[in-house]
Every structure is written in C-alpha cells, then in structure tokens.
Amino acid sequence: MPPRLLATDEVEALFQALRRRGPVFGPAAGLDSGARPPPAGRLTPLRYAPLERACDAVLAPAAFGYPAKRLWFRPSVTLAAARRAVPASGPGPWEPGPPPAGAAPPLNPDPARPFAVWGVRGCDLAALERLDAVLMTGPVTDPEYAARRRAGTVVAFTCTQAGPACFCTATGGSPVPAGGCDLVVTPLAGGPGGNGAREYLVEPRSARGEALVEEVGGRPAGRAAVAAAAAVIGSVRAALPRSLNGRLRPENAAQKAARRLDSPAWDELAGRCLGCAACSLTCPTCPCFDVVERVSATADAGWRERRWTSCLVPDFGRLASHNARARRENRLKHWLLHKLAPAEKVTGGLTCVGCGRCSTWCPAGLGLRAALESLEGEGGLP
Amino acid sequence: MTGCSGWVTPNPYQPVACRVVAAVPETSDTVTLTIAPPPATAWRFQPGQFNMVSLYGVGEAPISIASDPADPEGLVQHTVRAVGRLTRPLTTLRPGDTVWLRGPYGRPWPLDAWRSRDLLLVTGGLGLAPVRPVVLAAGRARHLFGRIELLYGARTPGDLLYRDALQEWARVFDMTVRVTVDAVPPDQVWAGPVGVVTRLYEAMTSRPGAVALACGPELMMRFALQGLLDRGFPASDLYVSLERRMECGFGHCGRCALGPVKVCRDGPVFCWDELAGRVWVEDQPVLQAVGGGPRGPAAARRT
C-alpha cells in the first residue's frame, strides 16, 4: 500500500481504532500512581503508559524516556511454580502446579492479549530486532516474549528532531523507523517532536498496518507530501553524528575497542562508574536476566522469576568457585564489547542502537560514547 | 498447564519432577545421583550435554550429565560436589527424594566426527564427570575408535571419582587409564604417580593425530592444552568443556557469554580452534593465556 496522508483528527481516529483492540501504550510524562513527585528541577524519564488520546503521547527524543522494550521483555516474569502441603510435621514434597490461593505469587497478565505501542522511535525498533535475535532466534524461543511480540501492534514515529544524546546514524541506524513495525508515521512540518504537525505521512509496513489505515481513510500522499517528509528526515539526519567518535564507524568499532583493552583509561572509567546499572536498565537492547527463586511466606508455594539484571552488577559473573568479573573495569569492558558487536551475530551493525539513554541517565556522566571518548583521549583509538 | 493462567506452553523453564533412585558417595564431598525421569519424558542426551538441575525453594544450576546416553532404563546420573547453596542440599538427597530437571542443553562432544581416530581424554577433578559418557559411549562402540587413553588427575587419592570403574574401563574397554594425584596426605595410601595431570604426558602413548579433549578446572585445562600444542597437536584436534554461570541454559540470559559466544548454547564443548584468540573479558584470563595470550593482532581480527 502506498503511503497515505492523514490529518490530525484522522491520526486520532487511528489511535482510537487501536484502542478498540486493546490498550495503547505511549511515552508519557508523570509518575506511577502513588509515587512521590521528584524534587523540583529533577528530571524524570518519560515512561510508556496506557494513553487515552494520541496527543497525550510525548514524542520527545528516545533518550528522554525509558525504553519501549519493557512492554515485550518485561522486567519481571514468573517462569514456573510448584506447591506443597505444609503440615505441622514439616513440609511435604513440592508438586508442579499453580500455587494455592492465598500464597499469591504474581501471575503474568495474559501475554497474548492484544495491545499497541504508539510513538516508538527507530532506535527502539532496531533494539527490538536485537532482542528478537536473542530471545527468538536460537534453539529455544521465549514463549512469553514471542506471544507479546505477536500481540503487540507497533506504530513507529520518524524523529523530527535530533536529541542532544542521539547518535543512531553512527550505529548504522536511522531516524526513520525500519522494518519490524506495523505503521511508520512521519509528522510533516510542525512543532518540536512532531506534536504540532498538522499532517502525517503514514506508511503501512504490515497487513495489520494496512487494515488500520483502511479503517481511518486519509488520502493518498502526493509527491509534495513525500518530498516534505524527506525534507524533515534530511534535516534530522544532518543534525546527527556520523561516527561514534572520531574515526570509529559501526564496521570497525568492536575491533578497535578490543585493541584497547589494556588501556589505563579503563581504570579511570571504573573509578567513575558507580556500578548502578542505570545504563542497562534504560538500554533498549540489554537482554540479560537473573532467575530468582521465590518462596511464599507460608512456605507452601515456590516459583521462579525472571528479572532484568546487568553485566555491570558485581554478582553477574559469579560462579560456585569464583567471580569471573569481580573487577569493575572488566565488567565495563565486557559491557562495551557487547554493545559494539552485532547482537548474536544475527543483526547488522552494532548491538548499540544509538538512543543515548546510557549517557542521559548515568548518574556519573558516563555512557557508551563517553567511554569511547576516554579511550580515545588516551592516545587515540588505533 | 491449565489453571496457571498467564503461562505460555510449552514452557522451556518448566522443570520435570524426577525421582532419585540412588545416591552414591564418590568422595567426602561428592555424590553421584542416579535419577529416573518420568517414563513419559524420554531423556535423550548426548555425551557432554548438561541439565538444569533444581530444587524448589533453593535454586537451579547447570550440571553436566555423567551417565551413559544409552542407559537401557533411561536413567540419568549427575555427579555433584557440595560447593554452593544448591549443590550442598543436592548431595544430601536420598533415594525416593524429588529433584527437578530440565534439559538436556548444550553442544555435545562430537563423537561422530571422532570416528576411527585415537582418543586422548585429559581430565582433572570433577572434570571426569562430563567425560564419563564419552568413555561409556566410545567403549560400547569400541570398534569405531582407535586407541583410547584416559589421563586423570585428582587432588588426593581420596578425591578420585569412579574409583572402581577406572580399572574396569581399562580392562573392559581396552583403553589405557593413567591416574595421578597432586598430593598424598599422611592418612592415605597411594602407589601411583604423584603430580599434576600434565606430568602424565611424559608417559602417555598418544601422539599428534589423536583427538584430545581436556575437561577440568580452567587452570588445569590451560596447561593441558598448552602441553598438547607444544607436543604438536593442532588446535583443531583439541576440545574443551567450559563452565560458566547460567540462568536459562539456552542462550537467553547472557550470564555465560564469552564475548559473542554463549557457553550454554555454543558450548559447553568447544574445539580449541573456535576459542583460540577470541576476545572475552574476565578477571583471570586463564584459558586466553594458552598459545601466547589473547591480545595480539590475531585476537582483534577474530572479535
């Protein structure tokens, strides 16, 4: 289907068409219910929350908010459970099955329930492709993640503004969302972030996307509209960096960084890094997790929970005999080499998608590009 | 599983409740568990693969399978040393107790590719456990292989695994078994050689042309590999089995990543050719020191 041109009210109709199918999540300002507001002047990340209207989505650069990955790859998932009788004589053997009522371990909301994600950026979409490479491409597919991937409709938005931390183009990405979504929306001229646009170029990328566009109508996009979209994209592209740092390009970044593993700059970086894992928790591509053993307070229910973790956490490399990466500089090296290599050798380019969240949310002012800068400062990357 | 709303089936994380049918102590801290998976689950595995072994309320860990893949009763054996939160209670299990398994996972020893070759098995400590299925499978199909030589090193005579079987393997499977211990405490008796396992290289009859595998503590594997390379064994004929922390067992959790390689899925068995010169970052780059270190120009090319 060729691109369509939608007016603001038609975009709203598109949003409502999605809402009839299930909740629609989009980047939103504000806090979880019950959370205290931050101190004045403190920045809080935008978070994907269920929205009621298209105009409630805050279409800021991706780095201003949490990644969309949590809608598919959820921070905490119950994997398996067992129960047992606990008479006064002592607990009986564990048996597979749902925990007894009252033990109340968290069960997962139905992963096959349809939902939509509105306002996904090109970097987050590319990150989803990297998560797919880990969780859906190997010998085992994660059923929970795969079910959510099937259930989720993705409406991606072309960036109309380069954020201060953005560097997608330096990782082989683009401000224009690539495949792996249902619709790509490009706001044509308007206010920052596209919220002020009057017209939107909408390109279906799947049968589901085509059906949605059919439903709301719009008109075929003329040559002028396509040219206007290209102009928007061109201006964003011009504002984005072309290389990660100096001569570091996506094709050679991993090799060059690997040659600097003995650099003293790592000690300096490790001295500044707090090991808090904020970079991993805001990274749209980080797929690593722990499996945590849980037991109910009455000891009659046990379950296993998958929880996000980070290779920057000291325990990450712990074995029965020793900790493979007790040293923080080695955890940083491990992290950087992974971000600079393709995910599972499946995706092109780097694992890093250049969203800039690690540098935006690092309390120590580090991040992927800052790490590369330190390495380069010390004699320059070869 | 009906009733467990929210779970997608088949669930790769769902372990199977299995009955322990025997628990035989090997040493003061090591036990071989014989486990009967339910008849409905034909536990088909290949030598070198591992199971995720767990106890509810305690935890889960990858443990290599130590038994014959062609066991007529479909039993599975794990040799477990009490070192951590999970392995300590595992070694106290009694017949009739329940243990939870999921698997098997991982890339096995490529026995089919080794047909008609001589085999040299260099093992240290608990590293004999993942090699035992190789001995049993190759021993059963003895005519398919050339000479088989097993070198085994333990800390003390009291730390030897499968003590009775070692002599039997030599006899029944027509293989050479050489055993050494690092030290003999005053209260133990030992008539064999004393020294690290690579000291056995002086006496061994295996020559380049044989396939060699090394399995044991990483420091032991480092010297085992280096010794074989020095003796002219090509890297493409050397194999190792690695151990790392794993949460999932099939390449998702990221805990066992060595650079782009995941030990659970791409290993635990590797041909040394695949690892030599690769860059991965750990505090003690023990294996990376084999063959002159990982950080040369060759290393950067292989990233």
Side-chain angles (χ1 to χ4, degrees), chain A residues 241-330:
Chain A
R242 289 213 178 78
S243 71
L244 281 167
N245 210 22
R247 284 169 295 163
L248 221 48
R249 305 191 69 80
E251 313 84 66
N252 62 16
Q255 285 103 318
K256 290 198 168 186
R259 277 186 221 146
R260 302 293 287 169
L261 288 179
D262 294 325
S263 162
W266 290 105
D267 293 330
E268 189 264 336
L269 282 170
R272 288 161 65 197
C273 171
L274 304 171
C276 70
C279 48
S280 291
L281 300 178
T282 57
C283 178
T285 69
C286 271
C288 292
F289 57 84
D290 262 340
V291 175
V292 183
E293 194 77 22
R294 304 286 304 274
V295 180
S296 66
T298 46
D300 56 353
W303 67 100
R304 296 195 175 129
E305 218 171 281
R306 180 182 85 194
R307 277 201 215 148
W308 286 2
T309 186
S310 162
C311 57
L312 292 162
V313 168
D315 227 27
F316 189 81
R318 188 177 296 285
L319 282 144
S321 52
H322 67 290
N323 187 340
R325 278 179 298 275
R327 294 163 63 94
R328 189 175 295 158
E329 62 265 35
N330 285 338

Side-chain angles (χ1 to χ4, degrees), chain A residues 3 6 73 90 92 112 132 136 162 207 226 250 257 274 330 338:
Chain A
L6 267 60
F73 179 56
D132 289 352
M136 284 171 47
V226 174
L274 304 171
N330 285 338
H338 268 190

Side-chain angles (χ1 to χ4, degrees), chain B residues 247-260:
Chain B
E247 304 280 312
C248 65
F250 39 76
H252 291 184
C253 75
R255 301 305 278 267
C256 64
L258 305 179

